[in-house]
Amino acid sequence: MYYYIGYDLGSSSVKAALIDAKTGRSAGVTNYPEKEMAILALETGWAEQDPEIWWKNIGKVTQKLLKQTGILSNKIKGIGIAYQMHGLVIVDENHKVLRPSIIWCDSRAVSIGNEAFIGVGKDKCVANLLNSPGNFTLSKLKWVKENEPETFKKIHKLLLPGDFIALRLTGEATTTISGLSEGMMWDFKENKPAEWLFDYMGINTDLIPTILPTFFNQGRVSKQAAEETGLPQGIPVLYRAGDQPNNALSLNVLHPGEIAATGGTSGVVYAVTDKTDSKESIRINNFAHVNYTEKTPRIGKLLNINGAGIQYSWMKNNLAPTDSYNDMNELASQVPVGSDGLRIVPFGNGAERMLNNANNGAAILNLNFNKHKKEHLYRAALEGIAFAFVYGIDILKNDGVNLSGMKAGNDNLFRSEIFSKTIATLIQTEINIIDTTGAIGAARAAGVANKDFKTLEEAFSDNEQVLTYHPLSNKEVYENAYKLWKNDLENKYNN
């Protein structure tokens, strides 16, 4: 038996998975380190990590997974990589890292991106990048140019976090169209790097690594990398994608109209479309999906909800007499739809892009001390987060997404019937809950690139579907509750 290994490089840990090369079934999943990786914040709004620590953890997680599964390393035939998006890694001509990575949640380059949006023209950015330059990778590189000129002079290549892992595995500096699009470096109209934006930033496009397809032999594991990781020398890196496109791939969300959702501390709705245009430059981000080509464009429209599960977690930690979300969900189920008039606006985790970067906090509305109990708070919390997802999906629909189906991982919020059935009923679409991980998805994608699976659909056809939430018949009561919540939201943020 042979296997593919998939890595998912996050900001807290590196996950790894092995899948059977014939069946695509998982043979084991693990992560390292157990304790979250440190994020360095030298200034308010900064967030950096040392890429060399990522690399060491790739080796550690590989050894841990092989020991856990009892699988010999010489049975691994290829590698897939998923990674935290939007980070900047810069290396010199010897491939030495020049400074810590400026990662996804670092906000130091916001003003640089905003100035570029105006400077080169909003219409051009939206038409060609499908986005504002924003606080993304190229803007972060411009910050280095302005603030660390001596370091900037030494740069040989600019890399995304996944590009760096591939570089350390193979010794070759490469990237993908999907990766360049997430860094605001790809011109969809011209089908090439956005040279005009590089020119505006005063950055040479020679810093861009060799561009390779997402599913492709992207280089082979070097002798040094084999010694440092325990992987077999000579096996290929076959796939690479950012975590949100890869999460959608892992859920088998590949076609126009399909949506992948996650419901953790923050929420993400990622919709696939075949339209290479957008009316939204701030509330939605548009990236080349993993199966994007010029002839058959597949764009992932990403909408983020900062104030999602963090609100329910706050309630558990501060108000609930239990440590169990299941207990809270059970109490919430005793309250009718609409929570007897109690409504919660959940946005209390910083600026909300889908509210045009408003940062007005959360709100509890219509609290009646004679009527409402803790179970009302729990239900109103779940409904408020679900309503926020529906509000976001409406934004996506207005930007050209024709919704045909929705899938989500088997994570915390989607385990709640109230949460999931509220969304399903309001969007009138089934929600399929799938038990998978990004690391498993990356490993399966490697198998597709190596032609052990004929198509992506074949590779993901054995996804373990945990359950399906169907729209409920009494949708009017949900629609009325959502309408009241939406009025509260828009009154709060418009005043």
Side-chain angles (χ1 to χ4, degrees):
M1 293 179 67
Y2 284 90
Y3 302 86
Y4 290 101
I5 192 166
Y7 296 106
D8 187 358
L9 169 63
S11 48
S12 58
S13 69
V14 182
K15 299 179 182 68
L18 284 163
I19 63 111
D20 186 306
K22 284 188 177 179
T23 67
R25 294 192 181 96
S26 171
V29 182
T30 194
N31 69 287
Y32 188 89
E34 305 292 338
K35 193 175 179 180
E36 289 190 1
M37 290 189 287
I39 296 177
L40 184 64
L42 296 176
E43 303 279 350
T44 302
W46 289 21
E48 299 180 348
Q49 286 185 319
D50 182 357
E52 295 296 344
I53 291 177
W54 300 340
W55 175 242
K56 287 177 183 175
N57 289 341
I58 289 284
K60 296 280 189 182
V61 78
T62 303
Q63 293 302 313
K64 182 181 177 184
L65 182 60
L66 292 173
K67 183 177 180 181
Q68 176 182 302
T69 59
I71 292 169
L72 298 176
S73 64
N74 63 8
K75 296 296 182 182
I76 299 174
K77 60 188 298 189
I79 301 165
I81 301 169
Y83 60 89
Q84 51 172 297
M85 297 171 72
H86 314 309
L88 170 69
V89 181
I90 49 178
V91 297
D92 66 15
E93 60 186 7
N94 297 314
H95 295 166
K96 180 182 176 183
V97 175
L98 291 169
R99 69 171 327 281
S101 172
I102 303 175
I103 65 171
W104 62 276
C105 52
D106 186 293
S107 59
R108 75 185 70 182
V110 169
S111 61
I112 292 172
N114 290 344
E115 288 168 12
F117 192 38
I118 296 167
V120 296
K122 294 181 180 181
D123 291 344
K124 186 173 181 75
C125 287
V126 174
N128 294 57
L129 299 175
L130 310 185
N131 300 279
S132 159
N135 183 45
F136 295 107
T137 310
L138 190 59
S139 298
K140 291 169 181 173
L141 182 58
K142 177 70 182 304
W143 183 92
V144 175
K145 182 177 187 289
E146 291 181 348
N147 293 273
E148 299 174 356
E150 294 307 312
T151 298
F152 185 83
K153 289 176 186 175
K154 299 175 186 175
I155 300 174
H156 177 61
K157 294 297 175 186
L158 74 97
L159 306 166
L160 295 155
D163 300 338
F164 170 74
I165 297 303
L167 171 69
R168 292 305 299 266
L169 285 168
T170 67
E172 300 173 30
T174 58
T175 192
T176 64
I177 289 175
S178 181
L180 291 175
S181 77
E182 78 181 58
M184 299 306 117
M185 295 180 276
W186 188 254
D187 187 319
F188 286 92
K189 272 197 168 181
E190 299 295 328
N191 197 44
K192 65 180 183 179
E195 295 168 355
W196 48 274
L197 186 56
F198 276 80
D199 288 343
Y200 178 86
M201 298 277 197
I203 296 169
N204 197 314
T205 54
D206 288 348
L207 299 186
I208 298 173
T210 302
I211 302 169
L212 298 176
T214 298
F215 300 86
F216 190 72
N217 185 332
Q218 300 174 357
R220 296 186 177 273
V221 172
S222 68
K223 181 181 179 182
Q224 181 177 346
E227 291 171 353
E228 293 177 5
T229 62
L231 292 167
Q233 181 180 348
I235 65 169
V237 173
L238 295 161
Y239 163 84
R240 188 184 331 170
D243 51 12
Q244 292 304 330
N246 181 75
N247 178 64
L249 165 105
S250 304
L251 294 168
N252 201 10
V253 169
L254 299 164
H255 303 296
E258 296 176 343
I259 283 180
T262 57
T265 300
S266 60
V268 172
V269 183
Y270 183 97
V272 180
T273 179
D274 56 3
K275 304 288 191 301
T276 52
D277 57 20
S278 177
K279 295 177 288 186
E280 300 281 353
S281 60
I282 295 176
R283 298 194 295 177
I284 296 172
N285 297 131
N286 297 273
F287 307 121
H289 195 29
V290 295
N291 55 345
Y292 171 89
T293 66
E294 185 182 10
K295 289 184 178 179
T296 55
R298 296 292 180 264
I299 303 297
K301 290 183 174 290
L302 189 151
L303 182 139
N304 189 69
I305 306 164
N306 279 341
I310 191 171
Q311 177 209 231
Y312 208 41
S313 171
W314 181 91
M315 204 165 276
K316 177 173 73 72
N317 294 334
N318 292 282
L319 300 178
T322 175
D323 247 356
S324 166
Y325 288 118
N326 287 336
D327 291 346
M328 292 169 67
N329 294 344
E330 179 59 32
L331 284 167
S333 69
Q334 299 169 19
V335 175
V337 176
S339 305
D340 285 330
L342 182 65
R343 293 187 289 278
I344 294 180
V345 176
F347 306 113
N349 190 30
E352 287 287 351
R353 285 179 62 83
M354 78 175 197
L355 300 176
N356 292 306
N357 288 320
N359 189 7
N360 292 358
I364 299 175
L365 303 160
N366 298 332
L367 179 62
N368 185 318
F369 297 123
N370 298 309
K371 178 169 62 173
H372 295 135
K373 301 176 182 178
K374 58 182 177 294
E375 48 263 48
H376 288 88
L377 285 167
Y378 304 156
R379 174 140 201 151
L382 289 169
E383 288 182 335
I385 304 166
F387 292 157
F389 271 72
V390 173
Y391 192 83
I393 290 168
D394 285 344
I395 294 171
L396 290 166
K397 287 180 178 177
N398 289 334
D399 200 41
V401 172
N402 296 312
L403 179 60
S404 63
M406 183 170 177
K407 295 177 183 177
N410 191 26
D411 56 9
N412 49 17
L413 279 174
F414 282 96
R415 292 192 187 111
S416 162
E417 280 197 21
I418 291 171
F419 174 77
S420 297
K421 287 185 176 179
T422 298
I423 296 174
T425 303
L426 286 169
I427 67 174
Q428 284 295 288
T429 301
E430 290 181 350
I431 302 176
N432 292 308
I433 306 301
I434 310 296
D435 188 17
T436 189
T437 70
I440 290 173
R444 286 177 173 165
V448 173
N450 213 31
K451 305 196 183 320
D452 271 332
F453 308 108
K454 292 178 183 176
T455 64
L456 286 165
E457 286 79 5
E458 179 184 313
F460 291 93
S461 62
D462 285 335
N463 264 349
E464 185 179 346
Q465 187 164 312
V466 179
L467 57 92
T468 299
Y469 293 106
H470 300 278
L472 300 173
S473 57
N474 58 332
K475 69 175 182 176
E476 187 175 348
V477 65
Y478 285 89
E479 289 172 342
N480 289 337
Y482 175 59
K483 190 179 298 181
L484 291 169
W485 178 91
K486 185 177 176 182
N487 287 337
D488 287 336
L489 172 71
E490 293 179 345
N491 288 333
K492 175 176 171 59
Y493 285 98
N494 289 335
N495 292 331

